[in-house]
Amino acid sequence: MLSKTLSPIIFGATSLGNLFRAASDREKSAIVQQWMSSGVSPVVIDSAGKYGAGLSLEVIGRELSRLGVAPEDVMISNKLAWRRIPLTTPEPTFEPGVWIDIKHDAVQDISYDGILRCWEEGNRLLGNYEARLVSVHDPDEYLDAASDATDRQQRLGDIIAAYRALVELRDAGQVAGVGVGAKNWRVIAELDKHCDLDWVMFANSLTILEHPPELVQLIDALHARDIAVVNSALFHGGFLLGGEFYNYRKVDPTLADDAKRLQTRQRLMATCADVGYSMFDVGVAFGKSHPGVTSIALSSSRADRVSEHVRAAAQTIPAEAWAVFRQRRLIDAAYPYV
């Protein structure tokens, strides 16, 4: 049962795919080495064919092999839906401006056969390793691209067929668990009605900035069924840590919603200073506060931050500190877990 066996922290591998910047091979090597020497067991690495059009998977396989890591000593999660194709334009077309200095483009491939192609390609890129956790990546974005209700229903059918293929892999013992990762938590709730899931990954969803009661209730229900919950993107793509991007979109202070988010970020940072904890520590602690959250996923482009991530994942914030956030209306009054 994954909810009992996953580590409290999962290491996200976006930086290995050159998210926002092209890290050097030396930097990437150091990151993987720090994961493997972190003391976390099992070491769980979360990647995707979308991360640098497969570059992240290639780096993981290369560096684990260089370190002589036995396949049974690491668990790799590959979020499936994208396959690499030749790069024929000045920059990749699948997410322009996000993946830097990569040598391939990527195409979406969601169907029964398509998801198997993604799985097979991912394992080839990993070399001596295989993905043990699999999912359909960003099904919310696939559904959002529908032209009308009929097209959306067809796309939902594609996703359900893809999950049928993944469940067959699980039942044949070729993968350890089937899950779903999405930024729109409502799509996770929708797919949960159609698919046999072992785990779910929420992104940009349950954070100190945003934690709607309906989402909290959904995690309550998943927890009651022993479905593992991984909470990721706790800082909305680095926004809460002072970054220029909110949910992978550059913030525009002239937009009312962005202006409000910037004001809230300022208030959160000021309150963190007042209670004596960093924004990073507070964000991680809130992200794992729900008892249904099995693991948190944290990514970094710097090896020296891995130990900080492990420390933060084990830290708790005292109730009196949370009370200050609540008094300043920075935490929903209905949220019961801090």
Side-chain angles (χ1 to χ4, degrees), residues 16 28-33 35-36 43 45 56-74 76 122-130:
L16 304 186
K28 293 175 183 180
S29 178
I31 289 168
V32 177
Q33 187 164 347
W35 291 344
M36 298 311 303
V43 171
I45 302 172
S56 175
L57 295 167
E58 279 187 314
V59 172
I60 290 168
R62 180 189 76 206
E63 294 303 325
L64 291 177
S65 293
R66 186 185 62 80
L67 293 169
V69 175
E72 61 269 21
D73 290 339
V74 64
I76 299 170
N123 286 341
R124 285 197 301 271
L125 294 173
L126 286 167
N128 297 326
Y129 303 87
E130 293 184 346

Side-chain angles (χ1 to χ4, degrees), residues 78-283:
N78 188 7
K79 301 191 291 292
L80 308 167
W82 295 84
R83 289 185 295 106
R84 69 167 36 170
I85 59 173
L87 180 64
T88 60
T89 52
E91 67 171 338
T93 60
F94 68 103
E95 271 185 337
V98 174
W99 306 101
I100 308 304
D101 193 25
I102 62 174
K103 310 305 181 186
H104 300 85
D105 209 338
V107 63
Q108 205 166 38
D109 199 1
I110 298 178
S111 66
Y112 180 94
D113 292 328
I115 216 70
L116 292 176
R117 286 190 288 267
C118 294
W119 176 67
E120 291 165 356
E121 178 182 87
N123 286 341
R124 285 197 301 271
L125 294 173
L126 286 167
N128 297 326
Y129 303 87
E130 293 184 346
R132 297 293 291 155
L133 303 177
V134 293
S135 60
V136 176
H137 196 189
D138 293 335
D140 45 347
E141 294 180 2
Y142 186 65
L143 292 173
D144 287 345
S147 57
D148 54 32
T150 301
D151 186 25
R152 189 185 191 281
Q153 193 61 33
Q154 176 62 52
R155 287 169 177 262
L156 179 60
D158 293 340
I159 295 169
I160 292 170
Y163 272 106
R164 188 169 72 251
L166 296 183
V167 167
E168 289 173 4
L169 290 177
R170 183 194 64 193
D171 292 348
Q174 293 182 272
V175 300
V178 172
V180 57
K183 301 178 184 73
N184 183 346
W185 61 266
R186 290 179 176 83
V187 169
I188 291 179
E190 180 180 8
L191 292 178
D192 182 46
K193 299 173 183 176
H194 299 283
C195 308
D196 184 13
L197 301 173
D198 302 299
W199 60 275
V200 304
M201 176 182 278
F202 294 102
N204 304 318
S205 298
L206 185 76
T207 72
I208 193 167
L209 182 67
E210 299 174 7
H211 41 277
E214 299 88 352
L215 171 58
V216 176
Q217 292 165 11
L218 172 60
I219 298 177
D220 288 340
L222 294 169
H223 182 44
R225 292 158 51 206
D226 284 325
I227 294 176
V229 173
V230 179
N231 198 8
S232 68
L234 305 181
F235 302 98
H236 296 274
F239 173 74
L240 288 180
L241 300 176
E244 297 179 345
F245 289 81
Y246 166 81
N247 293 357
Y248 314 108
R249 173 187 60 77
K250 193 162 187 177
V251 173
D252 182 352
T254 66
L255 298 177
D257 286 346
D258 280 357
K260 182 178 179 181
R261 291 185 184 105
L262 288 166
Q263 291 172 357
T264 302
R265 181 176 72 180
Q266 185 175 8
R267 293 176 60 221
L268 281 166
M269 288 181 167
T271 303
C272 287
D274 289 345
V275 300
Y277 290 90
S278 70
M279 184 71 249
F280 183 78
D281 285 349
V282 168

Side-chain angles (χ1 to χ4, degrees), residues 5-22:
T5 59
L6 283 182
S7 304
I9 181 171
I10 292 174
F11 298 113
T14 54
S15 64
L16 304 186
N18 294 358
L19 178 69
F20 299 138
R21 65 178 288 266

Side-chain angles (χ1 to χ4, degrees), residues 2 37 62 64 99 106 145 240 286 298 327 336:
L2 285 175
S37 61
R62 180 189 76 206
L64 291 177
W99 306 101
L240 288 180
F286 189 91
L298 294 172
Q327 288 164 5

